[in-house]
Amino acid sequence: PESGRNPAFAIAELTLYVREALSSGDFRGMVLGTVIHTELGSRNFGVAAGAGELSLTLRAHYEDDMLKFEHMLTDKAAALAARDGLARALESTAEFSDTVNDPESAELVRRAAKALGYQLIELREPFRASEDFGRYLKKCPGAMFYLGTGADHAALHTPEYDFPDALLETAVEMEYRIICEC
């Protein structure tokens, strides 16, 4: 086992580096790196691990921060792999662009809500939804808005959540009003 190329220390160092990179202060907005899974070898005493895996969920308010964080992690992984003579592979799944509303489109949403007498709450921080709408907004102007269910409603992605069908009417009214203003 002492002659093999065990990835344990490289994975451990990369795991700890996630926290170090996050605390670097090199980002203009919120950046998160959550370790969600590690896998290393098997329960086979006396046999060194020959492969391992580290899975992370990365989030950032701004796409440039996300790219910077990804590069920091991949550069560190490459350096650790080179140091320890390891092969490495990177797999990325479920990538979402940041969703940045076009100012004119966002104003249409505000006017529609006001005209319909709906309460409008402007978010102070970007919403952390995994959303592909940001890709559309890179191609054409638009705005994303949320319809609240109220404080007494179960949270999304919980077993108790039941979509309140009355929101469909609100959504149609908002969209119709926005279309009429265009």
Side-chain angles (χ1 to χ4, degrees), residues 41 44 48 56 63 70 108 136-137 148 153 158 166 168 171 178 181:
N44 196 353
L56 306 165
E63 196 163 342
E70 286 178 1
L108 284 173
Y136 297 117
L137 294 180
H153 199 81
T158 63
L168 294 174
I178 290 167
E181 286 219 21

Side-chain angles (χ1 to χ4, degrees), residues 39-78:
E39 188 171 317
L40 182 69
S42 63
R43 293 187 132 202
N44 196 353
F45 297 98
V47 177
E53 180 179 301
L54 172 63
S55 299
L56 306 165
T57 295
L58 309 180
R59 292 185 187 269
H61 283 175
Y62 304 106
E63 196 163 342
D64 58 333
D65 279 346
M66 175 65 85
L67 293 173
K68 181 187 280 187
F69 187 43
E70 286 178 1
H71 288 296
M72 291 170 77
L73 295 174
T74 56
D75 289 350
K76 183 68 169 184

